[in-house]
Amino acid sequence: MRTKSQSFRARIIAERIYLDHAATTPLRPEAWAAIEQGFQHWANPSSPHAAGRKARSLLEDARDRVKAAFGWQGEVIFTSGASEAAALALNHAQAGARLVSTVEHDCILQAAPAAERLPVLGDGALDHDNLAEAVQRERPLVAVQQVNSETGNRQDIPAIARLVQAEDGLLLVDCAQGAGRFDVPDCEIAIVSAHKFGGPIGVGALLVKDYAMLAPAGGQERGYRRGTENMPGVLGMAAALEACGETYLDPRVFEPLDALAGECRGIGGTWLADRLSDPTPYIRAIAMPNMSATAQVMRFDMAGIAVSQGSACSSGTMKTSRVLEAMQVESGVAANTIRVSLGWNTTRAEVERFCEIWLEMAKA
C-alpha cells in the first residue's frame, strides 16, 4: 500500500511537463513500431546469409526513405548520432583548414579542437565579413549550426554557402536542431540526429554529397565508419522523420509564449529572441530579472516542469554559457537565462502552465 508521500510523488511524476526537447524529444509511436519490426530481424546486415541479407534489405530501404524525406540527392552514412557524424566529417573530410563558428555545439568543437573559430555578431548571426576573409585559403571546411541549440537562432545558410562555395570550400551544416522542422540546406555535408525529432537515441546520419569528399574510416557503411549498423534504430529514425510531416507543431501552441514575452519585458527580464537575427519558435532563451538560471531550473523541476540552463552536453557544468558569451550578452543576463524547448507532443496547456509558473517565480 502506498503512503501519502509516495502517492503524491507518483502524481507529480505523472503530471510532469517536459520542455527540454532540444536535449532530446520523446520517441514517436511510429518509431516505436518500426524499432519493434527491426528487432524481429536481428541479424548483422553485413552477414552474407539469408538472415543478414534480410537485415541489409531493411537497412537499405530505410536509407532510401531517409534520402527521400530529406530530399537529399547525395549519400547517407548512418552513425551512432550527431557526435560521431561530426567526428567523421571534421576528421575525414578531404579539405584543408577547419573553420568553426564560436557558437557551435560541443561535439563540433571537441572534434576539431585546433580549428579556427569564426566569430558571431551580437544577434547570433555568423560574421559574414570575417567569414569572407577566412575562407580565402585552400579548400577550407566550414562548420556551422543550422539552428543554435541554446538560443534557437537560425543561421543564414544560403548566404554562408555562397561565400564558402565561391572559394571551393566544403560547408558542413549541423542540422541536429533543424532536421524534421526545416529542409536540409544546400551544403556539401550535413549532420542529423534521430532523437531530436522523435527517433531513438543512439542513431543519426552524416549526409554527404559525394563519398569522394571523405576519406574512408572503417569497414561498415561503404567503408566510411566502424561498427555494426544499428538497423532497428535506423528504421525508427526513418519512421520518425516521415512522421514529422509538413507541420512539426501547431502554431497555436506557441501563443502563450508570445504573450509571456511582453510580461517578461515589462518586469525587466530579457527575451533573447528580441536580439536574434532569425529566432525559431520552438527554442526560447529567457532571462528572469532576479533569479539565477540554476535556481530557476531547480524550482521548475520542483513544480514538475523540465527546462534547462543551456545545451544538455554542458549544462551540468553550471558555467556561464559560452554561446551567450560569444554573442556578448551581459553576464548578469547570461547567468539568469534558461532554455525552453518545445517538441512534437507539446500541448498548449503545458506551455500555459510554464508561463504561469514563470510569472509566479519572477514576481515573487
Side-chain angles (χ1 to χ4, degrees):
M1 184 175 179
R2 281 182 174 177
T3 65
K4 261 188 182 177
S5 61
Q6 287 173 330
S7 297
F8 175 75
R9 178 173 171 76
R11 181 171 60 82
I12 288 295
I13 291 173
E15 295 175 355
R16 290 193 65 83
I17 295 171
Y18 184 76
L19 298 177
D20 195 20
H21 292 262
T24 193
T25 200
L27 196 64
R28 289 175 178 268
E30 296 88 350
W32 271 106
I35 292 168
E36 289 180 350
Q37 177 199 5
F39 280 130
Q40 293 172 15
H41 302 279
W42 43 264
N44 190 321
S46 297
S47 297
H49 47 62
R53 294 197 302 273
K54 176 61 177 178
R56 170 61 59 181
S57 175
L58 290 170
L59 184 75
E60 295 307 321
D61 178 67
R63 197 187 311 274
D64 290 340
R65 290 163 58 197
V66 168
K67 286 184 182 181
F70 282 132
W72 185 253
Q73 300 301 313
E75 309 296 343
V76 172
I77 300 170
F78 290 122
T79 67
S80 61
S83 294
E84 184 194 356
L88 282 175
L90 287 159
N91 293 324
H92 297 280
Q94 304 276 30
R98 270 54 172 166
L99 314 176
V100 304
S101 92
T102 54
V103 294
E104 293 308 296
H105 190 275
D106 282 350
C107 74
I108 297 288
L109 301 182
Q110 290 166 3
E116 180 179 337
R117 303 292 176 90
L118 302 171
V120 297
L121 303 174
D123 60 5
L126 190 67
D127 185 332
H128 290 194
D129 290 338
N130 177 275
L131 175 64
E133 293 182 10
V135 294
Q136 292 180 16
R137 60 192 70 191
E138 187 178 353
R139 209 185 196 201
L141 174 69
V142 178
V144 181
Q145 248 181 353
Q146 183 181 31
V147 176
N148 186 267
S149 59
E150 293 189 36
T151 66
N153 194 53
R154 183 160 61 153
Q155 294 291 346
D156 186 351
I157 299 299
I160 294 170
R162 287 192 292 271
L163 290 172
V164 174
Q165 292 162 359
E167 300 298 332
D168 194 34
L170 301 182
L171 177 59
L172 166 63
V173 181
D174 177 2
C175 297
Q177 297 293 343
R181 302 170 179 87
F182 300 115
D183 292 337
V184 172
D186 178 26
C187 59
E188 282 65 49
I189 311 174
I191 294 168
V192 297
S193 181
H195 74 107
K196 303 296 187 179
F197 51 77
I201 291 173
V203 64
L206 186 68
L207 313 184
V208 57
K209 277 191 174 179
D210 191 317
Y211 282 133
M213 294 177 175
L214 295 178
Q220 280 73 31
E221 289 297 280
R222 275 70 168 178
Y224 288 90
R225 78 175 290 261
R226 294 182 176 89
T228 301
E229 294 96 339
N230 178 4
M231 184 269 289
V234 167
L235 294 185
M237 175 181 174
L241 187 57
E242 291 167 343
C244 289
E246 295 182 4
T247 304
Y248 190 85
L249 200 60
D250 187 335
R252 290 172 294 183
V253 173
F254 302 116
E255 291 174 353
L257 284 174
D258 296 333
L260 178 64
E263 297 269 10
C264 174
R265 300 181 193 107
I267 62 172
T270 300
W271 198 260
L272 202 69
D274 290 343
R275 64 173 77 186
L276 298 178
S277 62
D278 187 10
T280 52
Y282 53 89
I283 299 177
R284 309 290 180 103
I286 312 167
M288 197 175 285
N290 298 306
M291 188 181 298
S292 72
T294 302
Q296 290 178 61
V297 170
M298 293 174 63
R299 292 198 184 189
F300 273 114
D301 195 47
M302 292 171 63
I305 302 175
V307 297
S308 73
Q309 195 169 341
S311 170
C313 297
S314 59
S315 59
T317 65
M318 300 303 178
K319 294 179 181 177
T320 301
S321 163
R322 59 172 177 75
V323 169
L324 300 185
E325 282 186 356
M327 292 173 55
Q328 300 181 357
V329 173
E330 300 88 339
S331 59
V333 172
N336 290 5
T337 298
I338 64 168
R339 178 186 71 183
V340 181
S341 49
L342 284 56
W344 66 270
N345 63 343
T346 304
T347 67
R348 182 185 173 107
E350 290 174 332
V351 178
E352 289 173 342
R353 178 61 177 160
F354 163 79
C355 294
E356 177 186 346
I357 297 297
W358 192 93
L359 285 170
E360 287 180 6
M361 288 168 55
K363 294 179 178 180

